[in-house]
Amino acid sequence: MSIDELAGELRRFAAERDWDRFHTPKNLAISLAVEVGELLEHVQWGSDAEIADHAKTPDGRAAISEELADVLIYLVRLADILDVDLLAAATAKIAANAERYPADEVRGSSAKRSR
Amino acid sequence: MSIDELAGELRRFAAERDWDRFHTPKNLAISLAVEVGELLEHVQWGSDAEIADHAKTPDGRAAISEELADVLIYLVRLADILDVDLLAAATAKIAANAERYPADEVRGSSAKRSR
Amino acid sequence: MSIDELAGELRRFAAERDWDRFHTPKNLAISLAVEVGELLEHVQWGSDAEIADHAKTPDGRAAISEELADVLIYLVRLADILDVDLLAAATAKIAANAERYPADEVRGSSAKRSR
Amino acid sequence: MSIDELAGELRRFAAERDWDRFHTPKNLAISLAVEVGELLEHVQWGSDAEIADHAKTPDGRAAISEELADVLIYLVRLADILDVDLLAAATAKIAANAERYPADEVRGSSAKRSR
């Protein structure tokens, strides 16, 4: 499946349930935050090593995969509603980041706030 | 570009900058929340109609596309680090949701908490 | 109870459980995001009128109060760890906002991004 | 200043600007997420030691204090709109947590998901 096909699936899913009226940009952006909050529960308290172990257990892996899926689902749905091509936007952003963070200048540094 | 290709691009981008050490699951999940927060600024105060208008202006559209791209970038990077197949996970989640929310039972209703 | 007393309660609560080691600024800021995510579930799909109704039911009110309490608890704990006086910081911020958004200029307008 | 007095200040601030119409529970909960996102930027990439250093610099301390203030401001405003007594809700939640996490059983453990 591709992102476009996923967007089509989600469009059908919403239409069959008459949920389009709920799928406003505001509500879908809130939903993204809800799902990211659920994802964050998995990294809330553990050390990096503990989180890596948790993510390798069958239950941890299944739960984290489901949260990642939920984030993707709402992201794709929101982009579809707004008619934004996610992969094209990401390609453009990576190109902009490559200019903003030249490898030679930022190597190994966490000084730049955003990366 | 596909999600797999995007994951490969991001892997190279991080490696060239020696940023892998920062790209822990904890830090990448935080980054997702940061970017969703920036996306939420665009839907923070407006009515649905105002947000739709904003999303159609060139500046609004560009800014929202960039935030959506940032969310996708961190999501794909996090899934790559965790070796999760995002599209397969989304497909599985949609199948589970189809069972959980039968169209005939939930049509037009916002009573179910999650959709 | 005051915020200071709440901070003291939380300090004791953590100390008795040997949880101080988990209460890093990073983990507590994540916890804030987790709790705000749970709060957002209550406003995720409903209209303003539906949300107001939900917030008046005994169950809705109790659940929302609990989420608001969780946000306050982590906020006070994080500020305490960082030795920040929350109410003094809020007073300073309101004064800055009063200058930034003169009542006569912004009245009734949602044009300013932040308020 | 107390939380009640802060709530009163915020009520006046909104009334003078005719902003009550924007201060719906949905919009204020979004605002909380926006501000927590800005707070998360300060803990996004650093190690615990780096974050502690950052929080001690004058600029870092001022910026973090401002983000904490913003979270408190929206939290108090949202609770005021919903007529929830934040400190009473927090007191009740701490009592519930004390029962849920007996000190003798959870000491030093991160096994319990929520704390």
Side-chain angles (χ1 to χ4, degrees):
Chain A
M1 187 157 67
S2 67
I3 283 191
D4 278 354
E5 288 163 348
L6 175 56
E9 282 286 318
L10 297 172
R11 226 176 288 139
R12 269 189 297 282
F13 196 95
E16 285 169 8
R17 285 158 184 78
D18 195 13
W19 281 357
D20 288 303
R21 71 176 93 171
F22 303 119
H23 286 188
T24 62
K26 190 178 284 226
N27 289 358
L28 290 168
I30 290 174
S31 302
L32 262 178
V34 168
E35 300 303 337
V36 169
E38 295 185 4
L39 180 65
L40 282 169
E41 288 187 28
H42 293 277
V43 302
Q44 188 173 9
W45 300 116
S47 66
D48 288 337
E50 288 165 341
I51 292 165
D53 286 347
H54 166 65
K56 278 177 199 146
T57 63
D59 284 0
R61 186 173 171 77
I64 291 171
S65 295
E66 191 174 334
E67 301 307 347
L68 292 171
D70 283 333
V71 176
L72 182 66
I73 283 169
Y74 283 121
L75 178 64
V76 167
R77 183 81 182 125
L78 176 54
D80 189 45
I81 294 282
L82 294 170
D83 197 26
V84 167
D85 182 331
L86 273 178
L87 286 167
T91 304
K93 188 60 193 279
I94 290 175
N97 281 345
E99 280 208 33
R100 192 174 168 198
Y101 305 115
D104 288 348
E105 290 178 25
V106 301
R107 187 164 291 125
S109 159
S110 74
K112 286 292 179 71
R113 203 190 67 189
S114 182
R115 77 193 50 139
Chain B
M1 187 157 68
S2 68
I3 283 191
D4 278 353
E5 287 162 348
L6 175 56
E9 281 287 317
L10 296 172
R11 228 177 286 139
R12 270 188 297 282
F13 196 95
E16 285 168 8
R17 285 159 184 78
D18 195 14
W19 281 356
D20 288 303
R21 71 176 93 170
F22 302 118
H23 286 188
T24 61
K26 190 178 285 226
N27 289 357
L28 290 168
I30 291 174
S31 302
L32 262 178
V34 168
E35 300 303 337
V36 169
E38 295 186 5
L39 180 65
L40 282 169
E41 288 187 26
H42 293 276
V43 303
Q44 189 173 8
W45 300 116
S47 66
D48 288 338
E50 287 165 342
I51 292 166
D53 285 347
H54 166 65
K56 277 176 199 146
T57 63
D59 283 1
R61 186 173 172 76
I64 291 172
S65 296
E66 191 175 334
E67 301 308 346
L68 292 170
D70 283 333
V71 176
L72 182 66
I73 283 170
Y74 283 121
L75 177 63
V76 167
R77 183 81 181 124
L78 177 54
D80 189 45
I81 294 281
L82 295 170
D83 197 26
V84 167
D85 182 331
L86 274 178
L87 286 167
T91 304
K93 188 61 194 278
I94 290 174
N97 281 344
E99 281 208 32
R100 192 173 168 199
Y101 305 115
D104 288 348
E105 290 178 25
V106 301
R107 186 164 292 124
S109 159
S110 72
K112 286 294 179 72
R113 202 191 68 189
S114 180
R115 77 193 51 140
Chain C
M1 187 157 68
S2 68
I3 283 191
D4 278 353
E5 288 163 347
L6 175 57
E9 282 285 318
L10 296 173
R11 225 177 289 138
R12 270 188 297 283
F13 196 96
E16 285 169 8
R17 285 159 185 78
D18 195 13
W19 282 357
D20 288 302
R21 72 176 93 171
F22 303 119
H23 286 188
T24 61
K26 190 178 286 227
N27 288 358
L28 291 168
I30 290 174
S31 302
L32 263 178
V34 168
E35 300 303 337
V36 169
E38 294 184 6
L39 179 65
L40 281 169
E41 288 187 27
H42 293 277
V43 303
Q44 189 173 8
W45 299 117
S47 66
D48 288 338
E50 287 165 342
I51 293 166
D53 285 347
H54 166 65
K56 278 176 201 147
T57 64
D59 284 0
R61 186 172 171 78
I64 291 172
S65 295
E66 190 173 335
E67 301 307 347
L68 292 171
D70 283 332
V71 176
L72 182 67
I73 283 170
Y74 283 121
L75 178 63
V76 167
R77 182 82 181 123
L78 177 53
D80 189 45
I81 294 281
L82 294 169
D83 196 25
V84 167
D85 182 331
L86 274 178
L87 286 167
T91 304
K93 188 60 193 280
I94 290 174
N97 281 345
E99 281 209 32
R100 191 174 169 197
Y101 306 114
D104 288 348
E105 290 178 25
V106 302
R107 186 164 293 123
S109 160
S110 73
K112 286 292 179 71
R113 204 189 66 190
S114 181
R115 76 193 53 140
Chain D
M1 187 157 69
S2 67
I3 283 191
D4 278 353
E5 287 162 349
L6 175 56
E9 281 287 318
L10 297 172
R11 227 176 286 138
R12 270 188 297 282
F13 196 94
E16 286 169 8
R17 286 159 184 78
D18 195 14
W19 281 357
D20 288 303
R21 72 176 92 171
F22 302 119
H23 286 188
T24 61
K26 190 179 286 228
N27 289 358
L28 291 168
I30 290 174
S31 302
L32 262 178
V34 168
E35 299 303 337
V36 169
E38 294 185 6
L39 179 66
L40 283 168
E41 288 187 28
H42 293 276
V43 303
Q44 188 173 10
W45 299 118
S47 66
D48 288 337
E50 288 165 342
I51 292 166
D53 285 347
H54 166 66
K56 278 175 199 147
T57 64
D59 283 0
R61 186 173 171 77
I64 291 171
S65 295
E66 191 175 333
E67 301 307 348
L68 293 170
D70 283 332
V71 176
L72 181 66
I73 284 170
Y74 283 121
L75 178 63
V76 167
R77 183 81 181 125
L78 176 54
D80 189 44
I81 294 281
L82 294 169
D83 197 25
V84 167
D85 182 331
L86 274 178
L87 287 167
T91 303
K93 188 61 193 279
I94 290 174
N97 281 345
E99 280 208 31
R100 191 174 169 198
Y101 305 116
D104 289 348
E105 289 178 25
V106 301
R107 186 164 292 123
S109 159
S110 71
K112 285 291 178 75
R113 203 190 66 188
S114 181
R115 77 192 52 137

